[in-house]
Structure formats: C-alpha cells, structure tokens
Amino acid sequence: MSRRGYEGIAVAVPVTVPYERYSTHGAPWFLGRVLAELLKSSGLQKDAIDGLCVSSFSLTPDTAVGLTQHLGLSPRWLDHIPMGGASGVVAVRRAARAVQAGDADIVACISGDTNHVDSFRLMLGSFSAFARDATWPYGSGGPNSMFAFITAHTMRTRGATREDFGRICVAQRQNALGIPHAMFKKPLTLDEYMQARVIADPIHLFDCVMPCAGGDGVLVMSEARARDLGLPFVQVLAATERHNAWREDPIMIRGGWSVDRDDLFGMAGVKPQDLDFVQFYDDYPVIVMMQYEGHGLCAEGEGAEFVRAHSLDCAGTMPTNTSGGQLSMGQAGAAGGYLGLVEAVRQLTDRPLGAAVPDAKLGLVSGFGMITYDRCLCTGALVLGRSS
C-alpha cells in the first residue's frame, strides 16, 4: 500500500535542558523548561503553539492534558506518547501528519523526566505490569538482566564479542567529549571497557546507561512557516513506526525496522549506504548493533563484522550517535528517545554542540522502546535531510 510522503514538513529548533545526575525538580519543571527554550529560540509567542506532543515517564499520574493547564497552553491538537526510546521518532511522524492535515500549524514535541534518589527503582516497579509479573518470581534485576539475556544470545548465535560492543561504547564516548552536558566527560579506552565490573553477565558497567534528569524538544511545522520565521530546519524525507514486530521470535534478535525499511528508504528516495550518519537508540550496545542490521546497513547476523569494519566517531566511515548517545550522555527517561532526534537536527543545520560530521546532508534517526519481560515493542525511524 502506497502512503503519502512527508513533503513540505520541517523540523526546527532543537533544544536541550542540560542533563543532571539528580534533581529535586519534577517532570513538569523540565518539560516547562523545554517549552520555554523552544519559544525563546524561535522567537514565537506561546499562543503560536497550537499542537503539543508530550513524552515523559515521571509525569505520571498527570498526562499531557494536565500539562496544558500547567504550561498555559490551549492546543487544538494533543498527543501523549509514552513509548520510551521510540518517542521522538513517533512524535515527529504524528506531528508531521497533523501539520499536513491542517490540524495544527506549529507542534511542540517535548520530552522530559526527573531523576532523584530511588526514582529509577520506583519507575521500574510501575513501568509494565506484564514485565513485573513475568520476572518478579525469578528475582529479575530489571532491564540489565533482560538485555544480558539478549546480549548473551547475540554473542552465541551471531559471533559478536565483548570487544565488538566495546568499540561502540568507546566511539560514542569520543563523540560526547565536546558536549557540555554529557554525564561522562573523560575518554574511555577499550581496556577500561573490558576491565569494568560485571553488572549482569555478559553486561558490564559501560554497557549500561546512567539515569539522569533533563529534557529535549523540537518544533514541527511547514517548511514555508519555518522560512517565514527565519528558522534553520531539516526536511522530513520519510518516517515509519511499527509495534510488536517479530512476535514469533523466541528471543529478540531484530526489531520492527526491518519490516518497514524498504518503505522508509523508498519514500525518502535514498539507500542505506547514502546516509552520512545514524542516530540509534542505545540503552545497551547490543541494540545499536541490531539497528545496523535492521536498517540494511549490513545483512542480518553481520552486525559484529560491520562494527569491526567501520569507525563510528564523527569523522569515521559510519558516524554513529554523534553526541555520544545515552551511553555517554545519560538517559533522561523518555527524553532518551529524543536524544538522537535533536542531535540529527543540529548536525544537519550546522549547529552541533560537539564535533560536526563533515558535509552531512542525510541522517537516520532510529527509535526503540518499551521493553516488556523479553523484548522491546516500539520501533520507528526518520530519514532527515538538509534543507535546500
């Protein structure tokens, strides 16, 4: 089935509320800061925002509806996307359709979460009843144990090694060194990665993200409106989302990207090999490797070989997570699903906070989120292009 493209849609004004390890502020504070930065950077008044899309875990028990009153907004289009690492991709896709349909002129896509002592444990306890009920009798340690299971299976069946995962982590740390609000600000060597303490075998310390507080956001509007406002923007060339893909796989070895990648790249009119960089959701390095395969950058089962054959830093042959990703920046809850999105917009508008990818014109943003007891359910992708 052919689908309408995303012609005429712009993504602009990437903003970040600087990440911090712990905060006494709640999620509404971070979401409000994101909105304030969007207004300040765009020069818009609050009443110009007639669409709102919100992603947050720690906003609960409130929702996007209550947030409109808290922030003094009156949108005519509203969405609440609790999809974790897929949130940013899905938010832009749905906001783009709203603008195309005339349901909104300017949509603020915002994300933010807080982090204080014990908040991560409490979030895990209420994250998914399915996951809790399936794993609690076995003494599960949360995502670490689940991804240890997936990582071990990948090592057994795909020939991946800890060194391969380490190459991903080391390269992303290099990319993060110029980012002022990155949680990790010192280089990481492969030896340091290999010698780090075990968390849940075969996962070690540097395979895990650091929970933190912060927020990210963008504005979605028509290209014509972005030009009128004098805002640098990127073009949405293609977008997809897919949920509960490959449910017949007994162990997760792939995500929904492979279901829709021909549609994605066909709509964009490009091939995977044309990409200048990729921004992959990266709660664990095994998921980064899975996305190389899922998007057709290499054949299924050849992710480890791909990592060995390419340099992944900003000046490399396949720049990956050019801001450092969550593995070096930190995971600010649902804002982690926006991290690659804001970085892609910055790279393609020549406004990176750290190193720039030379002559970047085309980027892929890939999302992955909402783990149950044995797999993630939400996937999505955006192909973004430099505006002409």
Side-chain angles (χ1 to χ4, degrees):
M1 181 180 68
S2 62
R3 296 192 298 123
R4 180 184 179 185
Y6 293 83
E7 295 83 2
I9 297 298
V11 183
V13 196
V15 304
T16 297
V17 176
Y19 293 2
E20 50 189 288
R21 182 69 173 98
Y22 295 107
S23 177
T24 57
H25 295 294
W29 186 89
F30 285 99
L31 292 163
R33 284 282 308 278
V34 172
L35 178 64
E37 289 299 319
L38 287 171
L39 296 175
K40 178 181 177 181
S41 297
S42 65
L44 291 168
Q45 297 298 309
K46 191 185 296 186
D47 288 346
I49 306 298
D50 61 350
L52 180 66
C53 189
V54 180
S55 297
S56 177
F57 290 133
S58 54
L59 181 62
T60 184
D62 291 316
T63 67
V65 176
L67 196 65
T68 62
Q69 183 180 32
H70 184 77
L71 299 180
L73 294 171
S74 182
R76 58 193 179 104
W77 182 88
L78 181 67
D79 203 355
H80 185 184
I81 300 181
M83 296 182 188
S87 294
V89 169
V90 174
V92 167
R93 193 189 80 82
R94 297 184 183 182
R97 291 304 192 202
V99 172
Q100 285 184 324
D103 293 334
D105 292 325
I106 300 178
V107 180
C109 298
I110 62 176
S111 64
D113 270 304
T114 191
N115 186 49
H116 51 78
V117 176
D118 209 35
S119 65
F120 186 69
R121 182 186 66 82
L122 293 174
M123 184 188 76
L124 290 180
S126 60
F127 185 77
S128 165
F130 296 114
R132 181 192 62 216
D133 295 345
T135 59
W136 181 259
Y138 301 100
S140 169
N144 287 332
S145 63
M146 299 173 194
F147 281 97
F149 177 63
I150 294 166
T151 301
H153 181 74
T154 300
M155 294 172 73
R156 285 193 305 268
T157 61
R158 308 280 192 166
T161 67
R162 283 202 62 230
E163 287 86 349
D164 297 324
F165 299 128
R167 290 183 179 94
I168 295 171
C169 296
V170 169
Q172 291 191 193
R173 180 66 61 85
Q174 179 63 35
N175 293 342
L177 295 181
I179 308 295
H181 54 269
M183 289 290 100
F184 295 97
K185 295 182 170 66
K186 58 181 291 188
L188 175 68
T189 68
L190 189 56
D191 284 344
E192 289 172 329
Y193 169 89
M194 294 296 295
Q195 295 169 15
R197 64 185 174 89
V198 176
I199 301 298
D201 190 44
I203 286 176
H204 290 232
L205 181 63
F206 296 115
D207 294 306
C208 307
V209 294
M210 177 181 286
C212 62
D216 295 279
V218 296
L219 294 179
V220 177
M221 64 189 77
S222 69
E223 291 184 22
R225 188 65 182 275
R227 289 193 176 96
D228 288 345
L229 293 170
L231 299 175
F233 66 89
V234 301
Q235 298 171 312
V236 179
L237 303 182
T240 60
E241 68 177 273
R242 173 73 59 171
H243 307 284
N244 196 28
W246 307 118
R247 56 194 179 276
E248 68 274 16
D249 291 349
I251 300 174
M252 189 181 74
I253 57 172
R254 51 188 171 172
W257 319 283
S258 56
V259 180
D260 299 301
R261 70 176 178 228
D262 290 343
D263 184 25
L264 178 77
F265 289 110
M267 181 182 293
V270 301
K271 299 177 181 178
Q273 292 72 26
D274 297 329
L275 297 168
D276 295 307
F277 62 78
V278 294
Q279 310 291 348
F280 288 160
Y281 188 75
D282 65 320
D283 47 358
Y284 297 85
V286 68
I287 301 304
V288 174
M289 190 176 291
M290 200 177 291
Q291 286 167 93
Y292 290 127
E293 299 177 10
H295 289 293
L297 288 161
C298 61
E300 190 170 303
E302 295 182 1
E305 290 87 346
F306 184 88
V307 169
R308 295 166 197 160
H310 290 274
S311 50
L312 310 179
D313 57 84
C314 291
T317 56
M318 180 42 65
T320 300
N321 291 337
T322 55
S323 68
Q326 295 178 101
L327 290 168
S328 287
M329 289 284 290
Q331 185 184 65
Y338 273 67
L339 184 58
L341 170 63
V342 297
E343 172 63 11
V345 177
R346 287 178 175 132
Q347 287 286 346
L348 292 170
T349 55
D350 299 321
R351 287 165 172 78
L353 299 181
V357 176
D359 198 31
K361 295 182 175 63
L362 191 67
L364 173 70
V365 184
S366 177
F368 195 38
M370 301 312 291
I371 188 170
T372 54
Y373 53 90
D374 66 344
R375 65 195 64 226
C376 289
L377 299 182
C378 304
T379 55
L382 296 170
V383 178
L384 301 177
R386 181 182 290 269
S387 63
S388 56

